[in-house]
Amino acid sequence: MGWLPGVVALLIALKYTASFLLSKLNRREVSKYQSNPPAAVLAVMDKETYEKSVAYTLVKSRFESVTDIVDAVVLCIALFSGLLPFIYSKVMAYGSSDSAWLGAFFLIATSLLLSVVSIPFDLYNQFKIEEGFGFNKSSLSLWITDKIKGLLLSLIIGLPLLAGLLSLVNRVGSTWWIWGFCLLFIFQLIMMVLYPVLIMPLFNKLSPLSDGPLKDRLFALGERTGFKAKSIQVMDGSKRSGHSNAFFTGFGRFRRIVLFDTLIAQLTEEELEAVLAHEIGHYRLGHIPKGLMLSLAGTALSFAVIAWLSTTSWFNPAFGFHSGVLSASFLLVGLIGGLVTFWISPLFNLLSRKHEYEADNFAKKAMGNSEAMISALRKLSSKNLSNLTPHPFYSGFHYSHPTLVEREQSLTSR
Ligand SMILES: [Zn+2]
């Protein structure tokens, strides 16, 4: 067990050094073009917007490097200082050590404690950086209310779910992780239906798209592309941010389309139709179940790993816990897992980008040409001050979507 903390310390050093270098590389790449932007970029963004996007990218990137350092320090303290076993012993003083409720409480309490550190950084990001570039629309009181609601939700939903998971080991023994996976699968399906109905309205106002030419146009698109939408909802995203988005929630007959009000304000009707066609593309091409399958496979794998590690004589004890303490293994794998998955994130981004190209192509076919899609993408990149010249290594690790220039090339070539 002496070797494990050393290996984990090495993994921390590797991940955060890589992340730091990638950000630095990306800043250098962006700065390189700053004074003479590539022609492909000036074709899609006016010079003033381009300069603003460079400034925004650089500020964000430096800020990310600072938060990376903080994250690494917090992770080291959590894993190597004895803090977690100390909290565990305090929590367990209130009952028996095989109490699933206490185990769940330990997990939620420690995650909350570790995330407290990020609060000042969240505040700075929202009210300094985002504010400085005109994106922040949230007030401090709304921001605080959001945090409190999030906290209450994690207690109301997270606590019973985790307690349910942890109690399985007492009921079914070493095969708990298979049952746990089934429990989580059912929970996810239920949440896909309940989330837009019960949870989203706690944070945002959703209203059906009002009657008129836009609604007729979008419903006609749905008919044409074999997507029978029951309703299209408009969400008041402008309450918090100037960034815009569109997405799907639910599945089967519970599915619905949500458009940010900011998106509707920024795009023409034809561009909105193209964006919706892209979203329908994701749906019709089966990207949504594929994504769900992938995330379920990830859950099953991590549960199997937790089940195995929790019973070994070396994993928990290396961090000050007794072997067999399942809640501790959950927490430790949760903290350490990211150090490993970081290295495979480029693979997932590749898959996601493949899906984006496919959805763009679907939209092109549905619209009959690529013009509306291209002008929508151009506008969204400008409005969101997207970085048009990321370093390929950086975008490999961090971009789930191809860059604007890549998407345009693909839309005009196929
Ligand atoms: Zn997409």
Side-chain angles (χ1 to χ4, degrees):
M1 70 179 89
W3 54 271
L4 188 56
V7 170
V8 171
L10 182 67
L11 287 175
I12 294 175
L14 284 174
K15 181 198 158 172
Y16 287 100
T17 308
S19 179
F20 185 80
L21 290 177
L22 284 171
S23 293
K24 209 172 159 57
L25 210 57
N26 195 46
R27 286 198 293 275
R28 192 182 293 171
E29 182 82 3
V30 170
S31 307
K32 192 171 84 186
Y33 294 115
Q34 192 165 14
S35 49
N36 60 341
V41 165
L42 281 187
V44 300
M45 215 182 238
D46 66 69
K47 197 148 193 309
E48 194 190 339
T49 312
Y50 170 71
E51 277 162 9
K52 217 174 155 192
S53 82
V54 169
Y56 184 57
T57 304
L58 293 177
V59 169
K60 279 269 187 201
S61 170
R62 285 191 201 101
F63 178 71
E64 270 161 24
S65 289
V66 173
T67 52
D68 262 0
I69 295 171
V70 176
D71 286 349
V73 170
V74 168
L75 196 52
C76 286
I77 293 174
L79 289 171
F80 306 127
S81 71
L83 176 71
L84 299 180
F86 174 76
I87 300 174
Y88 184 77
S89 67
K90 292 288 166 209
V91 171
M92 288 305 156
Y94 290 94
S96 129
S97 66
D98 58 5
S99 158
W101 283 100
L102 283 182
F105 180 76
F106 165 67
L107 282 175
I108 299 234
T110 41
S111 340
L112 287 176
L113 183 71
L114 296 178
S115 65
V116 164
V117 184
S118 68
I119 289 177
F121 295 94
D122 284 354
L123 273 171
Y124 185 85
N125 179 50
Q126 188 71 20
F127 294 102
K128 280 281 175 200
I129 301 180
E130 295 289 298
E131 177 84 43
F133 285 88
F135 288 124
N136 176 43
K137 302 280 181 269
S138 179
S139 63
L140 188 62
S141 67
L142 177 63
W143 190 88
I144 294 171
T145 326
D146 281 351
K147 289 280 173 194
I148 294 172
K149 283 180 189 167
L151 177 73
L152 290 176
L153 278 176
S154 74
L155 287 175
I156 295 167
I157 299 173
L159 206 57
L161 181 70
L162 284 170
L165 262 176
L166 293 172
S167 71
L168 283 170
V169 72
N170 299 332
R171 288 166 210 256
V172 297
S174 61
T175 55
W176 69 264
W177 66 275
I178 300 171
W179 298 96
F181 170 74
C182 297
L183 177 71
L184 213 74
F185 177 58
I186 295 165
F187 170 78
Q188 259 189 322
L189 288 184
I190 295 173
M191 281 313 281
M192 279 173 81
V193 177
L194 292 188
Y195 183 81
V197 188
L198 290 182
I199 297 182
M200 266 169 46
L202 294 176
F203 294 91
N204 282 96
K205 222 179 103 202
L206 288 141
S207 36
L209 182 62
S210 48
D211 289 332
L214 177 63
K215 186 176 169 183
D216 296 342
R217 189 186 257 270
L218 297 185
F219 272 93
L221 170 78
E223 286 287 329
R224 204 161 77 226
T225 50
F227 180 88
K228 299 232 166 43
K230 269 174 84 179
S231 77
I232 299 173
Q233 305 277 317
V234 180
M235 190 176 111
D236 58 347
S238 58
K239 195 164 115 181
R240 293 189 181 80
S241 168
H243 289 297
S244 46
N245 207 351
F247 59 91
F248 268 105
T249 61
F251 62 94
R253 60 190 194 87
F254 299 107
R255 68 176 178 245
R256 49 168 88 186
I257 298 161
V258 180
L259 301 173
F260 276 40
D261 56 354
T262 35
L263 193 73
I264 295 177
Q266 287 166 1
L267 300 183
T268 67
E269 287 183 3
E270 201 185 8
E271 289 161 350
L272 277 165
E273 188 183 349
V275 168
L276 187 60
H278 170 100
E279 294 302 324
I280 292 176
H282 280 308
Y283 184 86
R284 294 276 292 158
L285 298 166
H287 297 163
I288 296 165
K290 272 185 209 162
L292 185 66
M293 284 302 169
L294 209 60
S295 102
L296 285 172
T299 307
L301 182 67
S302 57
F303 277 17
V305 168
I306 292 169
W308 166 59
L309 288 175
S310 68
T311 56
T312 64
S313 61
W314 47 269
F315 183 71
N316 280 2
F319 301 97
F321 292 98
H322 288 298
S323 175
V325 176
L326 192 56
S327 56
S329 306
F330 259 99
L331 182 62
L332 292 169
V333 170
L335 292 173
I336 297 169
L339 304 174
V340 179
T341 52
F342 171 77
W343 299 101
I344 51 168
S345 58
L347 283 179
F348 292 104
N349 286 334
L350 268 182
L351 179 69
S352 162
R353 273 184 247 165
K354 181 172 166 278
H355 288 168
E356 291 308 319
Y357 284 129
E358 286 170 8
D360 278 350
N361 200 37
F362 183 94
K364 179 182 169 177
K365 279 191 194 137
M367 300 295 292
N369 62 64
S370 57
E371 276 145 37
M373 190 71 218
I374 287 179
S375 70
L377 287 173
R378 285 184 178 188
K379 267 194 198 168
L380 292 176
S381 293
S382 293
K383 295 281 180 199
N384 289 307
L385 294 178
S386 307
N387 174 17
L388 296 187
T389 57
H391 192 281
F393 289 171
Y394 182 85
S395 59
F397 273 89
H398 293 286
Y399 279 34
S400 59
H401 287 56
T403 63
L404 175 63
V405 178
E406 287 167 332
R407 289 176 82 170
E408 282 202 14
Q409 269 164 5
S410 160
L411 273 164
T412 45
S413 70
R414 281 206 244 194

